[in-house]
Amino acid sequence: MEISKRKLFVTRAWWTFLDAVIGAKKRRSRLSPVTVGYLWMTPAIIIVGFLVVGMGYLLVYSVFRYDTAQFMVPAFTLENYASFFSSMDTLKVFGRTLGTTLIVTAASLIFGFPYAYLTVRVRNGWIQKALLVALFLPFFTGEVVRAYAWLILLGRNGMVNTLLGSVGLPAMNLIYNRFAVTVGLIHIMLPFAVLMLAPALTNINREMEMAAMNLGAGKVRTLYHVVLPLSRPGIIAATIVVFTLSITEYAIPAILGGGLYDFMANRIYQIFFHVLDFPQGAAFSVILVIVVSLMIPLAYGVSSLIATIRRRRELSCYSEDNR
Amino acid sequence: MKRVDMKRIRWVFVLVVIADLIFLSLPTIIVVASSFTATDVVAFPPHGLSLKWYVKLMGQEDFIAAFLRSFEVALFCTLLAIPAGLGAALALHKYKVPRRRFWDIYFLLPFTIPLIVSGLGLLIIYGRIGLLNQIWPVGFALTVINLPFMLWAVSSSINALDENLEFAARNLGAEGLQTFLYVTLPALTPGIIIGSLIMFILGFNEFIVSLLLTNVHNMTLPVKIYNSIRAVIEPTLAAISSVYIVLALVVIWILDRVVGLEEFLRVR
């Protein structure tokens, strides 16, 4: 009895409150839906606006002059950008970042595609769930923890070297080099690649594949002529995501590269916090943003180019058959 | 001939997936296994079993403090992202604000701007308005860089919502606000939960932006672990890493309960 009375009171109070709000809303001049939309959007606009303002600061700093005594002089100069191209050391770091990123992107797509395909197509629900858990567990564990795990595995006294020692082989240098950074990065990027590929593969109608096989195409030809072209949106998305995340990576080169295999992000960090040359660091940041932004149209361009070439080649095949 | 071809490609796929599975899971297994080691150095297979590193962890106040800070920061970032992401998703998909393309690109900025650059930009802003020694600004920064996840999760819920339900409510005399509270919002709840879980776990793990924005007094757990890796590799770190793995498992379990992990194979 007591409870129901209280419940009644709460319900009544809630409805009175709602009525009051609705009444207040009606008394006000009617807002247009577009205005209401903008009001809804305002918090998100402000939150993302912090990035726009931050980028603005970096752009301004990037054309200032660095001065050892005065730290930063507000005078217009393009020297900071020029020094990116004139310093051999910087170009070497950039080349290394780009090269490793390309390897990581290719490996993530090649190893991710079968994983995505099987996860989407497997009929056994338990196997599907296991594949998904194995994918999400590292995805949700964070880069630092995973890099630490690779240190345990690949370190001088790590598991791999212990195994090598037990069969009488000499220990190998497996950390603080290109190998460690590449392996660590592929481990971070593989789940991203699979999660980007999977929806595109889900959207492929299974009957398309069956039709191709019915018409006499083997599994390989079906894969090459039907599945691969139809999963193009997924391949493009995975390429863009993995490429942009790898080329801007900081944690993996820092921990598994140990200062001997720095990426651009590590270099920018050093310039900011060790050299304290803010204009230089800001200019390199802007260059990194430009490189990443160019990747998106580039990926679409290359992909449509490949599609065109393939279509031409297939058409010429048919015309030869007709002859 | 074709039969052989068919079987071979299937085997190649299965072998690649098995290799992937080992590759993906190996670090997790190694970390958990070495956290139970009885010796003073990390070794695999562990020599003897012991819980002493977990006991030692309980006694290290700086780790506990960093853990709690990470929790606070992740919670703040999630609680802020819910109204912001929900609002933006509603505005874009329900209220049809003009210049839709522009806003789509604008709200993807946190993904297109590299994290190191976003972190530096925020560092400059925080330095100017004096927010560098507190904890909540770190949480705010995590909302800034991860907001697209919430927006994406809620948007896909909105796109899956049958508008006729809302029309039916209005038809039966419900006011706009009532329709929103009793029809729209409950239908969007799964999306909000997915977005919140992703925001929380990514916030709890976030490293580079936190590294830029924190110092000794307000560093979060990943930054603390990073600094300790530099010093010495000892099994305490394996123990704290195992805590992360358990947390990730809990989040995966809830995601599977609420929406099913298979959803991630479909939605975009």
Side-chain angles (χ1 to χ4, degrees), chain B residues 200-245:
Chain B
F200 182 84
I201 194 76
L202 293 183
F204 207 80
N205 279 305
E206 207 289 323
F207 170 65
I208 176 65
V209 172
S210 309
L211 177 75
L212 294 171
L213 296 179
T214 57
N215 52 39
V216 204
H217 306 292
N218 59 351
M219 65 167 63
T220 51
L221 191 54
V223 182
K224 174 81 190 149
I225 295 177
Y226 174 73
N227 288 338
S228 313
I229 287 178
R230 291 266 148 137
V232 66
I233 295 191
E234 65 156 38
T236 336
L237 288 185
I240 192 104
S241 300
S242 305
V243 174
Y244 262 119
I245 290 161

Side-chain angles (χ1 to χ4, degrees), chain A residues 5-322:
Chain A
K5 225 182 220 170
R6 209 165 98 201
K7 220 171 168 183
L8 198 70
F9 175 74
V10 170
T11 315
R12 199 171 279 164
W14 170 241
W15 283 102
T16 316
F17 171 72
L18 266 190
D19 281 346
V21 174
I22 291 166
K25 217 176 79 180
K26 281 200 174 139
R27 252 176 278 126
R28 283 278 193 86
S29 57
R30 289 201 132 243
L31 296 168
S32 76
V34 173
T35 317
V36 178
Y38 276 124
L39 281 178
W40 272 115
M41 224 159 57
T42 311
I45 293 176
I46 294 171
I47 288 172
V48 177
F50 270 73
L51 284 187
V52 179
V53 176
M55 270 310 295
Y57 271 122
L58 286 171
L59 262 176
V60 172
Y61 284 6
S62 73
V63 294
F64 280 0
R65 209 175 57 234
Y66 172 67
D67 187 290
T68 32
Q70 284 171 279
F71 180 60
M72 199 158 62
V73 184
F76 183 83
T77 172
L78 288 174
E79 240 170 70
N80 304 307
Y81 289 95
S83 77
F84 178 88
F85 300 98
S86 60
S87 148
M88 267 325 278
D89 188 49
T90 310
L91 285 177
K92 201 177 135 197
V93 173
F94 183 75
R96 170 198 293 158
T97 312
L98 187 66
T100 312
T101 295
L102 289 175
I103 294 171
V104 169
T105 310
S108 305
L109 281 168
I110 291 167
F111 290 108
F113 191 87
Y115 201 98
Y117 186 81
L118 239 66
T119 313
V120 167
R121 284 294 150 83
V122 73
R123 287 199 198 88
N124 184 324
W126 286 105
I127 296 179
Q128 190 182 51
K129 196 133 281 179
L131 288 169
L132 282 165
V133 172
L135 195 70
F136 275 104
L137 189 56
F139 191 59
F140 284 160
T141 315
E143 293 175 311
V144 180
V145 168
R146 287 152 80 183
Y148 170 71
W150 284 109
L151 278 186
I152 300 180
L153 266 161
L154 304 175
R156 193 131 309 165
N157 300 311
M159 180 188 147
V160 174
N161 273 331
T162 314
L163 275 178
L164 285 177
S166 65
V167 286
L169 288 167
M172 292 200 291
N173 268 334
L174 296 170
I175 48 166
Y176 304 148
N177 55 22
R178 181 217 295 259
F179 172 77
V181 175
T182 309
V183 167
L185 268 179
I186 295 173
H187 193 249
I188 307 280
M189 298 307 159
L190 192 59
F192 280 104
V194 174
L195 287 175
M196 290 278 117
L197 286 167
L201 290 169
T202 307
N203 284 338
I204 298 174
N205 196 339
R206 226 203 148 102
E207 281 155 17
M208 292 271 236
E209 285 174 64
M210 287 174 173
M213 299 221 276
N214 249 346
L215 293 168
K219 198 114 187 184
V220 178
R221 284 179 71 188
T222 309
L223 201 68
Y224 185 73
H225 290 289
V226 179
V227 182
L228 226 45
L230 285 175
S231 53
R232 211 177 102 190
I235 295 174
I236 297 175
T239 308
I240 292 173
V241 168
V242 173
F243 182 91
T244 51
L245 287 177
S246 303
I247 205 164
T248 62
E249 177 66 29
Y250 179 90
I252 297 295
I255 300 171
L256 295 174
L260 299 172
Y261 202 76
D262 279 351
F263 271 25
M264 276 311 285
N266 308 80
R267 190 44 59 97
I268 292 173
Y269 184 92
Q270 278 161 17
I271 294 173
F272 257 93
F273 293 98
H274 299 172
V275 191
L276 298 177
D277 186 347
F278 279 30
Q280 179 90 84
F284 285 14
S285 302
V286 174
I287 290 173
L288 197 60
V289 173
I290 292 171
V291 170
V292 166
S293 314
L294 285 178
M295 178 57 201
I296 298 167
L298 191 73
Y300 279 99
V302 168
S303 144
S304 60
L305 189 73
I306 292 173
T308 316
I309 291 170
R310 274 180 72 153
R311 209 171 302 132
R312 273 215 195 117
R313 218 165 54 195
E314 270 161 34
L315 281 178
S316 67
C317 263
Y318 293 131
S319 50
E320 265 164 39
D321 281 354
N322 287 341

